[in-house]
Amino acid sequence: MSPLLVTRCAPSPTGYLHLGHAYAAGIAYARARQAGGRFLLRVEDIDLTRCRPEFTSAIFEDLAWLGLRWEQPVRRQSEHFSEYRSALDGLRDRGLLYPCFCTRKQIAAEISAAGQAPHGFEGAVYPGTCRYLSQTERQDRTAAGEAYALRLDVAAACAQVSGWPLRWQDEAAGEQAVMPELLRNGFGDVVLARKDTPASYHLCVTHDDALQGITLVTRGDDLFPATHLHRLLQALFGWPTPAYAHHRLLTDDSGERLAKRKNAPSLRELRADGMSAAQVWRMAGLDAGLFAA
Ligand code: GLU
């Protein structure tokens, strides 16, 4: 018997859901349902400056209106900061984290002073400035109340992990190999705890997928590169590696990816305009029959 398939939909309540979210949720839901598996909903609300409770309520309302059903209780990441903290403490004790006091402006200045910056998957790669601070300087600046983020020392992390190249499987793209150079040049020392939020997306998403026993991660292909980094985190923590199915992102008439900030119509606007859930599924290119009760 093949193992039970467990998928999840993990929206962030930073705005109302639009058609792109319906598509992503629909894929995760349909895959679980077709396989007789489990579908989980998780609220990724660690960014306390951008997430709002009314958007969380709207996620529940909109997805239920679309006909989705999910297990209770729903995990809300903002209720689990202490778990992310313990994971970070583990990395710190292994010498893999360092405080970074740099502001965005300082990082940009440093990069431009160094000539052309290697461009990574998530923009410019951090030049590693704070990696070289002495222990005393770190202590003094922390004691003086200077804000800091926690960065993963990626080279040191790679050195602690064995079994290179690490591998993961994408359903469409096939087997992927992660190399230390790819992580160093593509991501650099990523932030695992932000100055304003004591955790980061990369840490929480990987932690929770492992904790919740997700066996198939379905998500947009904008996150394809991030999976290389998530694979490193899995190796560091000894977490299992799920299968991945990165899917296309829905676009508008001009070919631009649907986005909250670009005013893609929200699901509630479509509903208020009289559209039915079945029409929304058709618009998203999914078979409405998959979501009927
Ligand atoms: N909260 C993330 C998002 O909304 C989830 C990404 C993922 O599925 O890993 O983009």
Side-chain angles (χ1 to χ4, degrees):
M1 218 176 74
S2 53
L4 190 71
L5 192 85
V6 187
T7 67
R8 48 63 163 188
C9 163
S12 293
T14 55
Y16 292 119
L17 301 185
H18 54 64
L19 200 62
H21 297 107
Y23 179 73
I27 292 202
Y29 185 83
R31 289 300 302 267
R33 192 162 184 191
Q34 284 162 337
R38 298 169 56 205
F39 168 73
L40 307 184
L41 176 62
R42 181 169 77 225
V43 176
E44 301 213 322
D45 57 351
I46 54 166
D47 188 336
L48 302 174
T49 58
R50 293 174 62 224
C51 294
R52 300 224 303 257
E54 61 268 35
F55 294 137
T56 300
S57 315
I59 288 173
F60 300 148
E61 237 177 77
D62 293 346
L63 295 182
W65 173 72
L66 282 172
L68 303 195
R69 301 289 175 262
W70 51 87
E71 293 182 18
Q72 299 292 342
V74 168
R75 182 174 173 90
R76 299 182 191 213
Q77 291 188 326
S78 60
E79 294 171 356
H80 300 279
F81 280 118
S82 62
E83 292 166 48
Y84 308 130
R85 180 75 249 170
S86 311
L88 289 169
D89 287 348
L91 293 180
R92 185 204 51 208
D93 294 347
R94 292 158 71 181
L96 299 180
L97 285 188
Y98 63 86
C100 171
F101 302 93
C102 297
T103 60
R104 277 173 204 271
K105 226 168 146 180
Q106 285 166 335
I107 297 174
E110 179 127 358
I111 285 173
S112 76
Q116 83 275 57
H119 230 70
F121 294 127
E122 299 183 321
V125 171
Y126 178 63
T129 324
C130 287
R131 196 191 306 134
Y132 305 107
L133 297 181
S134 68
Q135 210 42 41
T136 331
E137 184 167 356
R138 282 180 185 157
Q139 275 160 5
D140 289 351
R141 292 175 74 170
T142 313
E146 227 184 292
Y148 60 88
L150 291 174
R151 287 186 183 270
L152 179 70
D153 184 333
V154 166
C158 288
Q160 275 195 21
V161 161
S162 53
W164 295 98
L166 302 176
R167 296 179 197 280
W168 57 277
Q169 197 72 32
D170 179 77
E171 273 190 4
E175 185 174 81
Q176 304 295 309
V178 188
M179 315 280 189
E181 320 79 80
L182 178 90
L183 294 168
R184 282 199 308 271
N185 303 332
F187 291 97
D189 291 349
V190 281
V191 168
L192 292 190
R194 291 165 31 174
K195 283 182 180 173
D196 57 1
T197 306
S200 77
Y201 160 70
H202 294 306
L203 177 75
C204 301
V205 78
T206 317
H207 176 279
D208 286 359
D209 284 341
L211 181 85
Q212 296 189 291
I214 304 302
T215 63
L216 174 68
V217 171
T218 62
R219 61 183 176 199
D221 56 18
D222 55 329
L223 288 164
F224 192 101
T227 305
H228 289 302
L229 176 67
H230 299 175
R231 183 67 187 85
L232 172 68
L233 295 176
Q234 288 156 4
L236 279 173
F237 286 108
W239 292 332
T241 301
Y244 290 85
H246 292 93
H247 55 72
R248 71 193 176 91
L249 297 172
L250 297 193
T251 50
D252 62 19
D253 293 341
S254 56
E256 282 242 43
R257 147 184 186 192
L258 296 183
K260 292 169 198 168
R261 61 180 185 285
K262 289 190 191 136
N263 295 326
S266 65
L267 296 175
R268 49 194 44 219
E269 283 165 332
L270 298 176
R271 184 164 85 220
D273 284 350
M275 208 175 261
S276 69
Q279 284 171 314
V280 169
W281 288 125
R282 274 195 293 278
M283 226 169 116
L286 296 175
D287 173 3
L290 292 168
F291 310 100

